[in-house]
Amino acid sequence: MLSERQLNILHLLVKIYTETGVPVGSKTLMNQGIKASSATIRNDLAKLEELELIQKTHSSSGRIPSIKGYRFYVDHLMRPTEVSSHDIFQIRQLLNKQYHATNEIIEASAKILSDLTSYTAFSLGPEVKERKLTGFRIVPLNKNQLIAIIVTDQGYVESQVFSIPESITSEDIEKMIQIINDRLVGESLLTVYHKLRTEIPLVLQKYFVNSTNVLYLFEEVFNQAFDDQVYISGGMNLLNSENVTDIAEFKSIYSLISDTDQLTEILLPDSTGIEIKIGDEIENDLLLNMSLITAAYEVPNHGKGVIALLGPTNMSYSKLHGLVTTMTTELSGHLDSYYRSLNDSISQ
């Protein structure tokens, strides 16, 4: 059990370090409001270090929070900071621009969040998580082209013309349609996306001599339905993180966040509301020194989406918690208004 003073010291130490990035010593804590002698504070710091909530650095006599310390702070001590009126005004002003598609609003939300925080931001639209593939048709145009029509349960229809590889016959296309109807129709688009990278290639090997060309056509047909659904802004901000120490590491992380399949699995929260994962809780070895804040938002009648921030473990959790909360509220409201205006224009 920690004493009230030790809790206050840990809270203040995290606050100071996340704001300044400078290791914190007993004199700083005393000057910042801990009512105890420097010697008493040092004893409390030793106790916190013994519990592995803080740690010494090699270059300073001060202490910094450990991963365990950040987790304790987030779970027991953090109080979300109220978002400034300036930030709220900026969010609303940017979201109030003239948009012509929901994807434009979702993309804008990632950029706004990245610009406000200088971290890497992600935005996942509500359709991705909730839409299900309910219908699929292929209409041959000629020997070289076909139209693929994808229908989802929320009335979304995607049609596109594709060129047919020379090695693919009309019988191959019939088999494709059967496989899609048997294994993909009725599934969520996220599940379809996942199966295209895991189960479907194995299935195609059983039915086709040259499965590579068929898989290519599969991906071409469905890519349009998935394109531009996970938006990333501020990827280069990873270079500003002291936790990313070399170019090879940066390239690996940048490659990870560019992989929609892996990224979607990381971003989807385990629970409702705001979720903060620190270090190995993200369950990816490349992100052991990072923290991820994710928040689900809901648009009435259109499902749930996700916004997220990836940054160093010494991010200001209290400030970002408040900012992400505000962002989910504003984004949900703007998307709801957009859908309503869209429905009104269709019904007129």
Side-chain angles (χ1 to χ4, degrees):
M1 291 290 291
L2 295 177
S3 68
E4 184 177 349
R5 185 178 62 243
Q6 289 165 349
L7 291 171
N8 289 337
I9 286 174
L10 180 59
H11 183 275
L12 185 56
L13 187 146
V14 172
K15 181 177 182 293
I16 294 172
Y17 184 67
T18 54
E19 289 176 354
T20 66
V22 178
V24 182
S26 57
K27 288 185 179 179
T28 301
L29 291 165
M30 188 167 58
N31 292 336
Q32 291 287 333
I34 300 298
K35 299 187 185 317
S37 68
S38 185
T40 299
I41 294 174
R42 282 198 297 272
N43 288 335
D44 287 331
L45 289 172
K47 174 66 174 178
L48 293 172
E49 190 174 348
E50 181 185 330
L51 293 173
E52 300 181 343
L53 296 172
I54 61 173
Q55 57 193 30
K56 283 183 179 177
T57 63
H58 298 298
S59 59
S60 168
S61 59
R63 268 80 162 187
I64 66 173
S66 65
I67 297 294
K68 183 178 176 181
Y70 283 124
R71 182 77 267 163
F72 185 92
Y73 167 80
V74 168
D75 290 342
H76 304 290
L77 302 175
M78 182 186 72
R79 294 184 290 272
T81 303
E82 188 174 340
V83 180
S84 70
S85 56
H86 175 267
D87 284 349
I88 292 175
F89 173 78
Q90 194 169 353
I91 290 170
R92 289 176 177 172
Q93 185 181 42
L94 292 170
L95 285 177
N96 274 329
K97 288 184 176 180
Q98 188 71 35
Y99 295 106
H100 302 289
T102 56
N103 284 350
E104 292 180 7
I105 302 173
I106 295 161
E107 182 180 19
S109 70
K111 186 175 189 315
I112 293 167
L113 201 54
S114 177
D115 289 346
L116 287 174
T117 63
S118 297
Y119 294 140
T120 304
F122 309 90
S123 190
L124 179 67
E127 294 97 337
V128 173
K129 215 182 154 193
E130 298 298 317
R131 282 203 322 245
K132 286 186 178 180
L133 179 65
T134 56
F136 178 81
R137 289 180 62 201
I138 284 181
V139 180
L141 287 179
N142 50 54
K143 290 182 178 180
N144 303 315
Q145 290 181 309
L146 58 81
I147 297 177
I149 302 171
I150 296 172
V151 184
T152 71
D153 59 340
Q154 294 186 22
Y156 180 92
V157 178
E158 178 69 47
S159 62
Q160 193 169 354
V161 177
F162 295 94
S163 296
I164 306 170
E166 290 183 6
S167 61
I168 294 181
T169 65
S170 57
E171 288 79 13
D172 292 335
I173 293 174
E174 296 268 346
K175 288 179 188 175
M176 277 184 61
I177 297 171
Q178 184 178 346
I179 291 170
I180 290 169
N181 284 324
D182 289 346
R183 296 178 180 269
L184 301 180
V185 170
E187 300 284 2
S188 71
L189 289 189
L190 281 181
T191 301
V192 172
Y193 191 94
H194 182 67
K195 283 189 173 184
L196 283 174
R197 278 146 184 78
T198 54
E199 177 184 319
I200 296 301
L202 299 176
V203 173
L204 296 182
Q205 287 177 9
K206 294 180 181 179
Y207 289 94
F208 300 95
V209 176
N210 188 351
S211 62
T212 303
N213 282 342
V214 181
L215 180 60
Y216 171 79
L217 186 56
F218 258 77
E219 291 180 340
E220 284 293 295
V221 166
F222 283 99
N223 267 348
Q224 189 67 24
F226 300 117
D227 271 355
D228 302 329
Q229 299 294 345
V230 181
Y231 290 96
I232 305 168
S233 185
M236 295 301 291
N237 290 336
L238 291 168
L239 279 177
N240 298 328
S241 171
E242 62 185 25
N243 293 321
V244 180
T245 54
D246 59 62
I247 295 298
E249 184 180 5
F250 167 76
K251 286 181 177 178
S252 296
I253 296 176
Y254 198 85
S255 176
L256 169 68
I257 67 173
S258 301
D259 185 327
T260 307
D261 193 21
Q262 287 193 69
L263 187 59
T264 306
E265 289 185 17
I266 292 171
L267 292 182
L268 292 182
D270 298 327
S271 58
T272 57
I274 290 187
E275 187 174 80
I276 298 176
K277 293 183 178 181
I278 303 169
D280 59 6
E281 295 170 354
I282 306 175
E283 297 182 347
N284 189 290
D285 290 343
L286 290 173
L287 305 178
L288 290 176
N289 295 316
M290 311 290 281
S291 289
L292 180 71
I293 301 178
T294 57
Y297 64 90
E298 185 164 4
V299 183
N301 302 316
H302 291 276
K304 295 178 181 178
V306 177
I307 58 174
L309 274 176
L310 178 68
T313 52
N314 66 333
M315 60 170 57
S316 178
Y317 297 98
S318 58
K319 177 182 178 181
L320 296 176
H321 188 289
L323 186 61
V324 169
T325 299
T326 299
M327 193 68 201
T328 56
T329 302
E330 295 296 327
L331 177 57
S332 174
H334 278 78
L335 285 171
D336 185 39
S337 297
Y338 180 84
Y339 282 124
R340 288 174 184 273
S341 64
L342 196 61
N343 290 335
D344 289 344
S345 64
I346 291 173
S347 60
Q348 287 176 359

